[in-house]
Amino acid sequence: RMSSFDAQALANLSDSVSDMSEQLLERVEPALDEFVYGMPQKLSDWNGPHFVKVLTSVGVDNFGVAGTQRILSKMGITEPNQDFQQRALLRIQQAEEDGDARKETWGLVHKRVLCYGEWELTANGQPLRGTLLRENGIR
C-alpha cells in the first residue's frame, strides 16, 4: 500500500510516524537523489530551465525535517555547532517578536516556518559573508 504514496506524502509521513521514519525515507530516497544530483553545478545554469524541470519531476514542495536533513547530508552540510544554533534561535525569536503580518493584516492563522542561514565563502579571491532569515508564505 505504501507504493501508492508519492514522495511528498512519504516525506510528510516520515516526520509524523517516527517508528517508520527510516522505512519511509528509504522510499523517498530516489526523489532526494534526483533533487540533489539535479542541482546546477554552475551559477549560470540556475538561470535556465534545467532545475525547474528537476523540481517538476520530483513533485515535492518540501522534504520535511528528516528528508531535508538527509539532503543536507548528501550535499556535505553537517549538523551545525551550538554557537550557530544559538544565533539562529535568537534571530528567529526576534522575528517572532516582530509579529505576524499575515495574522495582523489579514487575520490568517498559519504555522510560521522560519529559516536562518549563514555563509562564508571566497569568490574571485574576495571573502563573502552574510546571514539570511526567510519565512514561508506572505510577509
Side-chain angles (χ1 to χ4, degrees), residues 59-105:
V60 175
D61 68 359
N62 79 82
F63 287 103
V65 173
T68 299
Q69 288 173 338
R70 193 160 290 182
I71 284 172
L72 293 172
S73 176
K74 288 175 180 288
M75 295 172 63
I77 300 171
T78 60
E79 183 87 16
N81 64 37
Q82 285 296 109
D83 289 340
F84 171 86
Q85 291 180 37
Q86 289 175 337
R87 288 191 303 274
L89 286 172
L90 177 64
R91 184 62 188 96
I92 288 169
Q93 287 170 348
Q94 290 170 342
E96 289 175 335
E97 289 169 4
D98 288 344
D100 185 347
R102 293 172 298 189
K103 184 176 183 181
E104 295 161 7
T105 306

Side-chain angles (χ1 to χ4, degrees), residues 3 7-8 16 19 37 42 47 55 68 76 90 93 100 103 106 112 115 127:
S3 61
Q8 180 72 68
S16 303
D19 60 330
Y37 300 117
K42 298 183 298 188
N47 293 326
L55 294 175
T68 299
L90 177 64
Q93 287 170 348
D100 185 347
K103 184 176 183 181
W106 296 290
R112 295 179 77 187
C115 176

